[in-house]
């Protein structure tokens, strides 16, 4: 039983070491190359506004069609 626990701790320690190393490498790369092609805040704002506008337009069209549905049937 002790052997299994020791192996488990060894695996956990190696996993933590790999994760720590990877995070450190990522931070070093970010320091060397600050613009790595991440999505900017402005881009996110523009996309949210575009999607919101499209949903509002579609909702307005749906409301108008449902309101005047009887009148549109004869066209």
């Amino acid at each position: 039983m002790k052997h299994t626990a020791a192996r488990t701790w060894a695996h956990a320690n190696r996993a933590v070491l790999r994760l720590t190393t990877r995070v450190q490498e990522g931070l070093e790369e970010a320091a060397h190359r600050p613009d790595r092609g991440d999505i900017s805040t402005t881009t996110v704002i523009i996309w949210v506004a575009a999607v919101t506008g499209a949903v509002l337009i579609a909702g307005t069209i749906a409301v108008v069609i449902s309101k005047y549905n009887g009148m549109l049937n004869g066209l």
Side-chain angles (χ1 to χ4, degrees):
M1 187 69 156
K2 289 183 181 181
H3 183 66
T4 304
R7 280 189 2 195
T8 303
W9 275 110
H11 286 294
N13 285 337
R14 279 195 298 268
V16 169
L17 181 61
R18 280 194 308 262
L19 180 63
T20 304
T21 303
R22 180 64 185 117
V23 169
Q24 184 63 34
E25 289 171 356
L27 291 174
E28 289 172 4
E29 180 182 349
H32 292 306
R33 296 185 324 149
D35 184 17
R36 298 182 324 268
D38 293 338
I39 297 176
S40 68
T41 305
T42 306
T43 304
V44 172
I45 291 171
I46 290 170
W47 274 103
V48 168
V51 170
T52 302
V55 168
L56 287 174
I57 291 170
T60 302
I61 291 171
V63 167
V64 169
I65 287 176
S66 67
K67 182 175 181 180
Y68 296 106
N69 196 20
M71 295 178 195
L72 294 174
N73 284 337
L75 295 177

